[in-house]
């Protein structure tokens, strides 16, 4: 069970890490925003990296809840689920303060694959791939693992495009690309 102070520290870290970057934010800045002390911080987190991992785990849980909700809403229809996911990506990318995928950002700041931060990123990415594989399983595709890799690439591209390009086009592009990869698109080609 998480204590209110731990939650307050995580809230402060989430706000600061996403807005400014993981390495740019010091423990002191998190402590100041949370309105606590170093002693209290270290009661809840052994190190800054532990806080970063907790932040990523929180973000992973939010994303998993969102994708789980899309799958539930899609009710076994792969195309409907991809539509719900694309709409969510479009909303996220269009939200004020969107700064890309927190997992891609964390991987860029923590290149060592053996660091706890990168392990948290990798665990979430494995979950995403597995979820994509499970989503497309009813389609009976020849190589669902390969298609899941393609969907991950599209997802990653959408997260980057939402930050760098026009967020208003991200949802439609994600959906078209995903449908093309899994073969569920309804567009006719001339």
């Amino acid at each position: 069970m998480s204590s209110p102070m731990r939650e307050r520290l995580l809230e402060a870290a989430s706000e600061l890490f996403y807005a400014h970057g993981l390495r740019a934010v010091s423990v002191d800045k998190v402590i100041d925003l949370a309105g606590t002390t170093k002693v209290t911080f270290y009661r809840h987190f052994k190190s800054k990296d532990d806080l970063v991992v907790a932040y990523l785990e929180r973000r992973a849980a939010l994303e998993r809840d969102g994708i789980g909700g899309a799958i539930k809403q899609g009710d076994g229809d792969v195309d409907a689920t991809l539509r719900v996911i694309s709409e969510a990506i479009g909303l996220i990318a269009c939200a004020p303060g969107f700064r890309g995928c927190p997992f891609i950002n964390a991987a860029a700041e923590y290149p060592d694959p053996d660091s706890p931060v990168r392990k948290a990123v990798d665990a979430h990415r494995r979950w995403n791939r597995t979820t994509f594989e499970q989503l497309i399983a009813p389609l009976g595709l020849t190589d669902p693992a390969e298609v899941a890799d393609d969907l991950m690439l599209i997802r990653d591209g959408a997260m980057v495009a939402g930050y760098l390009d026009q967020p208003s086009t991200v949802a439609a592009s994600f959906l078209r690309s995903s449908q093309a990869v899994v073969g569920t698109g309804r567009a006719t080609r001339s």
Side-chain angles (χ1 to χ4, degrees):
M1 182 171 198
S2 191
S3 76
M5 180 49 71
R6 187 178 197 283
E7 287 303 310
R8 207 159 82 201
L9 285 162
L10 267 171
E11 284 295 323
S14 295
E15 180 182 327
L16 293 168
F17 287 160
Y18 192 68
H20 303 288
L22 304 174
R23 298 241 188 236
V25 174
S26 68
V27 167
D28 289 335
K29 286 181 184 176
V30 173
I31 290 167
D32 287 346
L33 185 60
T36 190
T37 65
K38 279 189 181 188
V39 170
T40 301
F41 174 85
Y42 287 109
R43 258 190 230 134
H44 295 284
F45 301 99
K46 290 185 284 185
S47 67
K48 180 180 173 186
D49 281 358
D50 285 344
L51 177 63
V52 172
V53 168
Y55 155 75
L56 290 172
E57 288 171 347
R58 173 183 268 199
R59 293 299 298 245
L62 291 171
E63 191 170 319
R64 290 173 186 180
D65 288 348
I67 291 173
I71 291 169
K72 185 175 180 177
Q73 189 175 341
D75 196 29
D77 182 332
V78 175
D79 192 56
T81 301
L82 290 173
R83 286 179 185 282
V84 174
I85 292 171
S86 71
E87 290 167 7
I89 287 174
L91 287 173
I92 291 165
C94 292
F98 180 74
R99 296 185 48 83
C101 171
F103 301 95
I104 294 171
N105 296 346
E109 290 194 58
Y110 285 81
D112 178 2
D114 293 325
S115 77
V117 172
R118 274 305 288 275
K119 287 179 180 182
V121 169
D122 294 345
H124 183 62
R125 292 181 64 75
R126 276 191 307 278
W127 178 88
N128 267 294
R129 274 191 195 88
T130 299
T131 302
F132 279 139
E133 274 189 69
Q134 292 167 347
L135 171 66
I136 61 174
L139 299 176
L141 301 172
T142 306
D143 192 346
E146 216 173 72
V147 174
D149 286 342
D150 293 345
L151 290 171
M152 279 300 295
L153 184 66
I154 294 165
R155 177 238 181 248
D156 290 348
M159 291 291 100
V160 173
Y163 181 55
L164 298 175
D165 296 330
Q166 292 297 317
S168 60
T169 62
V170 171
S173 182
F174 175 86
L175 181 59
R176 282 191 311 273
S177 300
S178 297
Q179 288 174 327
V181 165
V182 302
T184 63
R186 291 186 171 80
T188 57
R189 297 185 193 270
S190 25

